């Protein structure tokens, strides 16, 4: 078999068609050109059919995102067959409970911990209260309580009288004057009493007021509180999540449309649809929380 003749240049073959790299590139370019012509022909003849791919992707992602937002908060109580459930898991064997209502205890505990450990000091907040001013503000309530106490002591209309000079009160015959004096006495010392109690509370806040137990208990009893909190604070963001399914789904659907033009195995639309759904949700959630600080584009 005769050897190929070499040209005058060192390392080059005299016949370029025998160069393997040249053959590979020519075949690749020819294949790409043929595929492009075929895709152009399919798009020209079935344009509306291919346009349905991004449209359907956008609509379906909008529907799934709207359903996902709805399932975050609804229903507040478990709906379905209560055959098997797992702790703090919204999905049961055949049923569902909203994610936020299901995890209300864990979420409220985390919220209180973040507020009391990283945002504010409960003892410091109570320390800023003016005892005298609080006493004056609570005086109307003290009046109401004093009237009720005096009414209880006088046993349905019986009056009070002073026992000798001890300063104590006892039940006597009917006397409106003594009853009014007892109520006035309670009012006069009510503001001082409230101020003294508040001062004691400021020194012993953790002992007299458990913020975590109170907040968690209230939200656990009424799950609608934390649901309303999330919905009011994140109203615009949840609208964005729903709409982003339409916007991003349509854009990713265009990519899927071109992929189907160039390469169209029967399973690619289903797999591509799942990928588009995951990508739109990931992008929407990422844009909700990141970046923390504004970034100039």
């Amino acid at each position: 078999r005769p050897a190929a003749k070499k040209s005058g240049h060192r390392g080059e073959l005299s016949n370029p068609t025998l160069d393997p790299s040249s053959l590979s590139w020519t075949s690749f370019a020819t294949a790409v050109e043929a595929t492009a012509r075929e895709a152009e022909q399919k798009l020209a003849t079935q344009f509306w059919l291919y346009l349905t791919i991004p449209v359907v992707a956008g609509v379906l992602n909008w529907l799934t995102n709207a359903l996902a937002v709805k399932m975050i908060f609804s229903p507040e109580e478990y709906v379905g067959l209560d055959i098997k459930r797992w702790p703090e898991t919204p999905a049961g064997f055949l049923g569902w409970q909203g994610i936020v209502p299901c995890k209300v205890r864990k979420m409220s505990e985390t919220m209180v911990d973040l507020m009391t450990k990283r945002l504010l000091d409960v003892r410091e907040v109570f320390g800023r209260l003016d005892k005298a001013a609080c006493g004056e503000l609570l005086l109307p309530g003290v009046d109401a309580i004093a009237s009720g106490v005096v009414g209880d002591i006088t046993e349905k209309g019986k009056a009070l009288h002073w026992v000798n000079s001890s300063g104590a009160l006892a039940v006597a015959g009917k006397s409106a004057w003594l009853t009014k004096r007892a109520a006035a006495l309670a009012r006069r010392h009510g503001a001082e009493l409230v101020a003294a109690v508040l001062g004691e509370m400021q020194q012993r806040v953790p002992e007299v007021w458990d913020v975590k137990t109170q907040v968690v208990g209230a939200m656990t009893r009424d799950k609608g509180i934390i649901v309303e909190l999330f919905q009011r604070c994140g109203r615009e963001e949840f609208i964005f999540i729903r709409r982003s399914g339409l916007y991003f789904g349509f854009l990713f659907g265009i990519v899927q449309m071109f992929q189907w033009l160039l390469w169209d195995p029967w399973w690619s639309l289903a797999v591509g649809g799942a990928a588009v759904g995951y990508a739109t949700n990931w992008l929407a959630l990422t844009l909700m929380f990141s970046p923390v600080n504004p970034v100039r584009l």
Side-chain angles (χ1 to χ4, degrees), residues 44-232:
T45 57
Q46 297 179 315
F47 173 76
W48 295 109
L49 180 63
Y50 282 96
L51 185 62
T52 59
I53 295 177
V55 172
V56 171
V59 172
L60 286 180
N61 277 277
W62 175 77
L63 289 174
T64 54
N65 283 16
L67 180 61
V69 171
K70 184 72 174 177
M71 294 176 69
I72 292 175
F73 303 106
S74 300
E76 290 186 9
E77 301 296 337
Y78 182 79
V79 174
L81 299 179
D82 199 1
I83 299 174
K84 174 63 177 176
R85 293 198 64 190
W86 295 267
E88 294 190 347
T89 302
F93 181 72
L94 284 174
W96 180 263
Q97 182 183 10
I99 297 174
V100 171
C102 179
K103 298 181 179 291
V104 61
R105 178 173 294 277
K106 183 177 181 180
M107 288 185 174
S108 56
E109 288 177 350
T110 303
M111 181 175 62
V112 173
D113 287 339
L114 288 174
M115 291 182 62
T116 56
K117 294 179 181 179
R118 298 177 59 178
L119 298 179
L120 56 86
D121 185 349
V122 179
R123 187 188 295 273
E124 181 184 355
V125 172
F126 263 82
R128 294 178 181 178
L129 296 176
D130 188 318
K131 296 186 288 293
C134 288
E136 293 297 328
L137 291 173
L138 295 175
L139 192 57
V142 173
D143 289 343
I145 295 173
S147 300
V149 171
V150 170
D152 291 339
I153 294 176
T154 56
E155 295 180 351
K156 299 181 180 180
K158 292 182 180 179
L160 303 171
H161 72 92
W162 299 105
V163 179
N164 298 327
S165 59
S166 62
L169 293 172
V171 179
K174 187 174 181 179
S175 175
W177 179 80
L178 286 175
T179 303
K180 292 181 180 179
R181 181 170 181 180
L185 182 65
R187 284 195 297 269
R188 185 166 62 250
H189 296 286
E192 300 175 4
L193 177 62
V194 171
V197 171
L198 182 58
E200 185 69 18
M201 289 179 63
Q202 289 175 332
Q203 301 298 321
R204 306 168 62 180
V205 173
E207 300 176 28
V208 298
W209 189 37
D210 189 342
V211 182
K212 188 172 184 178
T213 300
Q214 185 173 2
V215 173
V216 173
M219 290 188 173
T220 303
R221 289 189 299 271
D222 185 1
K223 298 182 178 66
I225 296 176
I226 195 169
V227 170
E228 183 182 0
L229 175 65
F230 274 87
Q231 289 180 334
R232 291 179 62 180

